[in-house]
Amino acid sequence: MMRSQATWMGNAISAGLLFLVGLAAAANSAAQAPTPVPAQATAVAFGPGNPLYADSSLPFHAPPFDKIKDSDYQPAIDAGMALQLDEVGKIADNPAPPTFENTIVALERSGQLLARVSNAFSCVTGANLDDELQKVEEYEAPRLAANQDAINLNPKLFARIKAVYDQRNSLGLDAESLRLVEYDYQQFVKAGANLSEDDKAKLKKLNEEESTLSTDFMNKLLAAAKAGSFSTKDKAALAGLSDQQIAAAADAAKEHKHEGWVIPLQNTTQQPDLKFLSDRAARQAIFENSWNRTERGGDNDTRAIIARLAQLRAQKAALLGFANFAAWNLTDQMAKTPEAAIQFVDALVPAATARANREAKDIQALIDSQHGGFTLQPWDWEFYAEQVRKAKYDLDESQVKPYFELNNVLQNGVFYAAHELYGLTFKERHDIPVWQADVRVFEVHDADGKPLALWYCDYFKRDNKNGGAWMSQLVNQSKLLNQLPVVFNVANFEKPAAGEPALLSSDDVTTMFHEFGHALHGMFADTRYPSLSGTQVPRDFVEFPSQFNEHWASYPAVFDHYAKHYKTGEPMPAELKAKIEKAKTFNQGYDTAEILAASRLDLDWHTLPASAPLEDPDVFEKAELQKQGLWLDAVPSRYRSSYFLHIWANGYDAGYYAYSWTEMLDDAAFQWFLDHGGMTRANGDRFRKMVLSRGNTSDLDKMYDAWLGGKPSIEPMLKFRGLKGEE
Ligand SMILES: [Zn+2]
């Protein structure tokens, strides 16, 4: 299913790399694009008859999904936007002098109806879409963007925020309140609120051009990916693929109206089928289709667009008073400066490339032992690495799955770890309405028995559900608004036949722990202001709690507690356990080097000064990566500049490093636990108190360091990735 993430799922948090990067999703995530507005708007009365009209009377203010009809959303969203604009207008036009209470706190109290409705709406559009909801989504997306713009660009509102900001240190504010003033001010300034009218007009023009170019880039990329699919009438070219994969290729050919077989292009440089294809010419053709997809001249070539995008972003940053785009865009991130991000990336390069080179040698030896008679190329890597993997640590999922029964993993793994670390207990509730019959609800209690949160899980794949997995909220925690958190996890696990157990893969288990880590971040939120609560933290922090929670999945005391055969209750055999562990560090030289190359490219493009000329993407890319030691013959960047969707159109501009950065944070955090006695309540409570409950209420860098007792090091990350020393 192809749907927008960016529009409605803005605050949902997805699992790992693959979720946000689907080309299909991107094509529709054009929140910035001038979307034509369907003319089906009819004013529907919004009143007490609408179940979203009043705050929910259910426990934890849970949405009454049993009463909400699809047709209730649009009038509620419209009313929510109108009310928010009205509330914000009153704050901006208040004749009384600006104070923290009448401006900053008043803003925190505004928009509650819209938040309530949007949370429920984004939940159902993400997890249980139908045609009517999709129509409402398409209709409302541009209106919501315009509503937000009207607030962000209200000069009277900004003047009041600035007035409070200017006197913030003499107002006797507590630390969280002070942080909120600074946060609000920073967000407005970042968007250009401080500029002269002249410069605002210039910025607006640059923003418009950027938005047009991004949309253009996405459209070209989508067309390029389509045009780049590998098509053949010779079945021999598909040797190595399974019958199922060949059938899929035949289906794809029908879809593309081609004879024979088609292998569609995926968004990353490497293509999944390269693992299996034994025909070297086919592998090379597929790889080159991928690598050159947007560099063939003609309509789908994106090079001129990205060169201009990089340049105009640098110009935008200069207008806003920054040396480069990354410097501007990282002001509200944990890393704060491009220098910090670059230093981090560069520190990983030697170990990653050394390991990648060693892996390349192993692969070359394998090629030679099979009398291949050629030098390893990027299109050979996956094919031979797969052979090494199979020989060394092949995991037969059918052997593993019986030990990962869903409910057992949930109760005796995910919940168990949360109990041991934080004292939480979980009670399933069958009386809370859900959006679909498979959804389960648990009331979460603290160690002292007090209710903490409501948590929903919607684990099974449906064809009206977005791909991947994510966490989001139905109610945001806030002491100001007297709200306890209501959060949910969504995934796409195979649904078993009626009466059969749901058996998970090892990846599924990791996903469960990951999303539950986000959920803990949301449920432990203990802040006054909703804007700073829970998972509302920068991109280079938000994946830290979730990835941290993944570590407990393989922590022996947890693993042994849940990994039991669903029929016999027998623990997993040691040999199988060892294989799972070993498989984790396989091919990590390659994986790390390709992601570092992409991260570095992103930072290179976005640290260009405004005075830089239009760059030739190919020349620039190669020169920069060579300079960083990341231009490896057999290890291309995970994305080439010309098809790097994340940074040109998906909101990860100057932010791709965040994937690895948060890994450094979670690995260093887990190492801290290991060094301090492992899974203990004392360790868990300390982590919860100093990190997980704090949202964005203080400087994240300082918060993290205070908890860790120093700066995070990359050493644990190198260790867990298996990049340290010999294997
Ligand atoms: Zn995540």
Side-chain angles (χ1 to χ4, degrees):
M1 184 181 40
M2 306 179 186
R3 300 192 40 261
S4 152
Q5 288 304 314
T7 313
W8 281 104
M9 307 294 297
N11 54 2
I13 296 160
S14 61
L17 289 171
L18 294 172
F19 186 48
L20 266 178
V21 298
L23 284 176
N28 290 279
S29 73
Q32 327 92 308
T35 317
V37 175
Q40 44 122 305
T42 40
V44 180
F46 181 65
N50 189 313
L52 291 156
Y53 182 76
D55 199 4
S56 163
S57 57
L58 290 168
F60 295 83
H61 308 285
F65 284 114
D66 54 340
K67 300 206 169 68
I68 304 172
K69 300 183 297 298
D70 283 357
S71 58
D72 291 326
Y73 284 109
Q74 189 174 315
I77 293 167
D78 288 340
M81 284 193 289
L83 182 61
Q84 187 189 33
L85 265 193
D86 183 57
E87 289 164 342
V88 171
K90 281 186 182 134
I91 297 167
D93 297 333
N94 190 345
T99 66
F100 177 70
E101 277 297 325
N102 75 16
T103 305
I104 306 289
V105 176
L107 271 175
E108 290 295 295
R109 291 185 192 278
S110 71
Q112 288 182 50
L113 172 63
L114 185 60
R116 184 164 78 230
V117 178
S118 298
N119 283 345
F121 185 64
S122 80
C123 172
V124 292
T125 53
N128 207 32
L129 190 70
D130 60 38
D131 290 347
E132 186 169 358
L133 291 172
Q134 187 159 13
K135 269 190 203 133
V136 178
E137 185 179 34
E138 280 163 17
Y139 172 77
E140 295 290 12
R143 284 170 172 74
L144 277 160
N147 202 65
Q148 200 52 50
D149 277 354
I151 293 169
N152 293 345
L153 303 175
N154 183 329
K156 283 195 214 157
L157 180 63
F158 177 65
R160 291 180 71 88
I161 292 171
K162 186 172 187 311
V164 178
Y165 175 81
D166 288 342
Q167 38 169 331
R168 67 193 182 283
N169 291 318
S170 55
L171 297 174
L173 297 175
D174 60 86
E176 188 182 332
S177 300
L178 189 62
R179 173 84 171 173
L180 180 64
V181 176
E182 288 170 351
Y183 173 81
D184 279 357
Y185 179 76
Q186 185 182 47
Q187 294 306 308
F188 273 80
V189 168
K190 203 178 168 202
N194 240 345
L195 296 180
S196 69
E197 287 311 310
D198 246 20
D199 283 349
K200 269 186 196 162
K202 277 186 205 154
L203 180 66
K204 193 164 173 250
K205 262 189 106 171
L206 287 171
N207 281 339
E208 280 165 8
E209 188 186 349
E210 184 180 10
S211 160
T212 307
L213 288 175
S214 284
T215 307
D216 209 12
F217 172 85
M218 261 189 321
N219 292 338
K220 283 182 194 296
L221 181 53
L222 201 66
K226 232 181 192 172
S229 42
F230 173 76
S231 170
T232 182
K233 289 178 200 162
D234 176 13
K235 198 175 178 184
L238 305 181
L241 293 187
S242 68
D243 291 346
Q244 210 180 358
Q245 286 167 319
I246 291 174
D251 285 347
K254 271 181 213 136
E255 223 172 274
H256 284 71
K257 301 194 168 57
H258 279 280
E259 263 180 72
W261 297 268
V262 161
I263 297 179
L265 213 50
Q266 309 289 317
N267 50 338
T268 48
T269 297
Q270 285 291 1
Q271 301 297 305
D273 285 348
L274 294 181
K275 263 186 201 160
F276 312 106
L277 290 165
S278 53
D279 182 324
R280 190 164 189 246
R283 288 203 305 268
Q284 181 171 355
I286 290 173
F287 179 86
E288 285 176 349
N289 281 3
S290 172
W291 184 246
N292 297 317
R293 68 183 83 176
T294 42
E295 307 209 357
R296 297 182 178 284
D299 285 350
N300 301 335
D301 199 304
T302 60
R303 283 173 289 185
I305 294 181
I306 65 168
R308 174 58 189 151
L309 266 173
Q311 190 184 51
L312 86 79
R313 284 177 180 173
Q315 291 167 352
K316 196 168 123 175
L319 193 63
L320 289 154
F322 289 85
N324 55 61
F325 181 83
W328 169 77
N329 210 18
L330 295 187
T331 47
D332 58 359
Q333 299 292 301
M334 181 178 176
K336 292 196 188 82
T337 64
E339 290 73 26
I342 287 170
Q343 196 185 24
F344 160 70
V345 171
D346 287 357
L348 292 166
V349 171
T353 52
R355 174 54 59 92
N357 286 330
R358 217 154 71 229
E359 289 166 359
K361 261 192 200 142
D362 288 350
I363 290 174
Q364 187 65 55
L366 182 64
I367 293 170
D368 295 346
S369 77
Q370 297 174 4
H371 310 289
F374 56 83
T375 305
L376 167 68
Q377 296 296 328
W379 50 89
D380 302 315
W381 190 292
E382 302 266 307
F383 181 69
Y384 289 95
E386 178 66 8
Q387 293 182 31
V388 175
R389 191 189 67 79
K390 274 208 135 131
K392 274 196 180 170
Y393 357 78
D394 193 21
L395 268 180
D396 182 350
E397 283 292 347
S398 66
Q399 248 183 309
V400 172
K401 280 182 161 182
Y403 296 91
F404 296 151
E405 189 272 316
L406 187 146
N407 202 46
N408 197 23
V409 176
L410 180 65
Q411 302 275 355
N412 294 317
V414 173
F415 288 172
Y416 174 72
H419 179 263
E420 296 300 298
L421 283 162
Y422 312 111
L424 300 187
T425 54
F426 301 83
K427 202 178 96 201
E428 186 153 14
R429 291 195 63 153
H430 299 281
D431 58 330
I432 308 277
V434 292
W435 55 90
Q436 202 273 345
D438 289 341
V439 180
R440 297 169 71 183
V441 188
F442 293 83
E443 189 171 324
V444 186
H445 289 263
D446 241 324
D448 61 6
K450 277 195 194 136
L452 177 74
L454 213 51
W455 178 75
Y456 300 58
C457 56
D458 181 0
Y459 280 141
F460 295 126
K461 193 197 284 282
R462 282 192 294 278
D463 59 9
N464 66 342
K465 192 192 260 191
N466 270 320
W470 64 94
M471 167 271 189
S472 196
Q473 334 241 350
L474 292 166
V475 180
N476 302 340
Q477 182 276 337
S478 161
K479 288 189 214 165
L480 179 76
L481 307 179
N482 248 321
Q483 291 175 172
L484 287 174
V486 177
V487 309
F488 61 94
N489 284 163
V490 182
N492 274 281
F493 304 148
E494 283 310 328
K495 188 175 173 174
E500 294 292 312
L503 302 181
L504 305 177
S505 68
S506 354
D507 283 352
D508 293 342
V509 172
T510 304
T511 299
M512 258 173 97
F513 277 84
H514 178 101
E515 297 308 331
F516 197 75
H518 285 308
L520 287 172
H521 198 196
M523 296 193 291
F524 284 149
D526 188 23
T527 68
R528 184 165 167 73
Y529 304 114
S531 295
L532 302 177
S533 176
T535 54
Q536 302 198 76
V537 292
R539 196 171 42 210
D540 63 358
F541 192 85
V542 75
E543 294 299 324
F544 155 48
S546 51
Q547 291 171 179
F548 170 76
N549 204 54
E550 284 179 33
H551 285 280
W552 301 107
S554 52
Y555 187 75
V558 178
F559 188 88
D560 293 343
H561 198 253
Y562 71 83
K564 293 181 177 161
H565 199 285
Y566 78 100
K567 271 188 189 156
T568 64
E570 290 289 313
M572 183 180 282
E575 184 205 4
L576 206 50
K577 258 162 60 174
K579 268 187 174 179
I580 294 179
E581 269 313 295
K582 193 78 189 146
K584 281 186 186 159
T585 54
F586 172 71
N587 209 43
Q588 284 295 317
Y590 186 101
D591 292 349
T592 313
E594 70 158 1
I595 201 170
L596 290 179
S599 306
R600 201 53 165 86
L601 271 182
D602 170 31
L603 289 163
D604 291 335
W605 279 111
H606 290 117
T607 45
L608 285 168
S611 57
L614 275 177
E615 301 287 346
D616 175 327
D618 296 322
V619 175
F620 180 78
E621 175 173 276
K622 190 167 183 182
E624 290 299 319
L625 290 181
Q626 276 177 334
K627 214 164 36 182
Q628 336 297 354
L630 282 164
W631 187 269
L632 308 183
D633 288 338
V635 187
S637 171
R638 186 172 170 83
Y639 300 93
R640 200 177 191 183
S641 301
S642 62
Y643 53 81
F644 203 164
L645 176 68
H646 281 77
I647 69 166
W648 302 122
N650 240 358
Y652 270 76
D653 20 311
Y656 197 73
Y657 76 90
Y659 287 112
S660 311
W661 177 276
T662 47
E663 191 176 323
M664 163 183 71
L665 298 180
D666 76 74
D667 284 346
F670 187 65
Q671 186 61 49
W672 184 95
F673 272 76
L674 295 180
D675 294 343
H676 290 80
M679 187 175 66
T680 68
R681 272 295 304 284
N683 286 344
D685 286 348
R686 184 173 174 274
F687 186 55
R688 170 180 174 177
K689 184 164 180 256
M690 296 180 77
V691 179
L692 290 180
S693 62
R694 303 281 311 274
N696 194 14
T697 56
S698 66
D699 184 296
L700 295 170
D701 212 5
K702 288 187 189 135
M703 178 206 288
Y704 184 97
D705 295 355
W707 167 75
L708 187 74
K711 289 259 151 226
S713 136
I714 58 167
E715 292 302 313
M717 180 174 172
L718 294 177
K719 182 182 92 174
F720 293 128
R721 279 201 166 225
L723 299 176
K724 278 188 80 171
E726 298 300 310
E727 281 194 293

